[in-house]
Amino acid sequence: MKQIDETQPLERLRTFLETADLGEDGRLPPERELAEALGMGRAVLRKALATLQAQGVLWRHVGKGTFMGDRPIGTQADINALVQGTNPMEVMAARIAFEPEIARLAAGNATAAQLSELRSCAQKCRAATSWRQYEHWDNRLHRSLGEAAQNTLLLGLLDTLTAVRRAITWSRRRSHPDRPPRDHHSFGEHDVIVDAVAARDGPAAADAMRRHLRTVEQKLRESLGC
């Protein structure tokens, strides 16, 4: 019996997710529509979806659908309470205090596969054709660093911080309304972070992350008119 090449539908689904405009909530089309759009059977599609879900690219909510990104941490009520009690600059201060340590731990613990994922995310940030695509791969890069730190509790805290950050800074003004400019500051800064992690240089990774987030903080201040 001829073996089915399962990599083809998986890569077809990956390509779709990288270019699709899924809306603010990241919800995928219903399975029937998606299977027809991708030219594959629903059973094959389900297997590809399950693979990407196991990799943390997608998450599912019974009765609501399949969504791009990471499953929200905690209840939405908890997240909403945090959002109501903070502001964008507090969120940035929390990131600057927390994420450099994530990068430092990632430098000591990242696997070869995780390093490859970090480089892929950085490249896809640079290739993004819209802010939504950029934000997805930027979020994925920062979460991949959290995964590479090999600390489940820290990863959960990072996910909570990310959920609050995405809710509270979603509507900030952009100087380039359609997509990141070709010389966007984060591209080179991401490369420096990933290079330091790959070199197993924890202090350099932490310093690179801190400098990156300081730049993000300054850009956010300018956008908010602070």
Side-chain angles (χ1 to χ4, degrees):
M1 182 181 294
K2 184 179 180 180
Q3 279 193 326
I4 298 174
D5 184 357
E6 296 181 356
T7 63
Q8 290 185 4
L10 182 60
E11 289 309 311
R12 203 178 306 167
L13 177 58
R14 284 186 187 277
T15 299
F16 170 83
L17 294 175
E18 290 174 10
T19 58
D21 187 354
L22 299 177
E24 190 166 315
D25 63 357
R27 183 178 179 179
L28 275 66
E31 278 189 6
R32 179 178 297 174
E33 293 180 20
L34 187 55
E36 289 178 359
L38 296 176
M40 64 180 70
R42 294 178 70 178
V44 174
L45 173 63
R46 288 192 191 106
K47 187 172 291 188
L49 289 170
T51 298
L52 294 188
Q53 182 180 9
Q55 294 174 358
V57 176
L58 304 172
W59 65 280
R60 294 181 180 181
H61 190 298
V62 176
K64 291 188 177 181
T66 303
F67 299 82
M68 187 92 161
D70 309 306
R71 179 180 292 275
I73 298 298
T75 67
Q76 191 58 46
D78 292 336
I79 298 299
N80 289 341
L82 288 171
V83 169
Q84 293 300 317
T86 190
N87 59 67
M89 300 317 300
E90 281 191 355
V91 173
M92 280 308 312
R95 293 188 71 190
I96 291 167
F98 182 63
E99 291 194 54
E101 179 63 14
I102 293 286
R104 186 187 70 79
L105 290 172
N109 298 320
T111 65
Q114 287 167 336
L115 290 172
S116 179
E117 171 73 3
L118 288 170
R119 294 200 185 282
S120 175
C121 290
Q123 181 180 3
K124 287 171 179 174
C125 283
R126 190 177 260 108
T129 58
S130 69
W131 280 110
R132 186 162 290 159
Q133 284 183 23
Y134 167 81
E135 286 164 353
H136 166 72
W137 291 112
D138 178 67
N139 287 330
R140 184 61 199 158
L141 185 149
H142 283 265
R143 192 178 196 274
S144 294
L145 285 166
E147 294 167 359
Q150 311 292 357
N151 186 303
T152 302
L153 180 56
L154 288 179
L155 181 59
L157 294 172
L158 179 64
D159 283 344
T160 301
L161 178 57
T162 299
V164 174
R165 170 173 66 84
R166 295 186 70 181
I168 204 166
T169 63
W170 185 262
S171 61
R172 65 185 184 273
R173 297 188 302 274
R174 301 286 196 186
S175 57
H176 293 76
D178 299 324
R179 54 163 294 163
R182 298 292 184 185
D183 60 348
H184 194 263
H185 68 88
S186 69
F187 299 156
E189 291 168 0
H190 285 163
D191 290 342
V192 174
I193 294 167
V194 174
D195 286 345
V197 171
R200 306 298 183 184
D201 190 336
D207 183 62
M209 177 61 79
R210 189 174 295 105
R211 285 187 281 110
H212 169 54
L213 294 176
R214 288 292 187 192
T215 305
V216 175
E217 180 186 45
Q218 181 57 40
K219 297 295 183 182
L220 183 59
R221 285 185 184 278
E222 295 170 2
S223 173
L224 297 174
C226 296

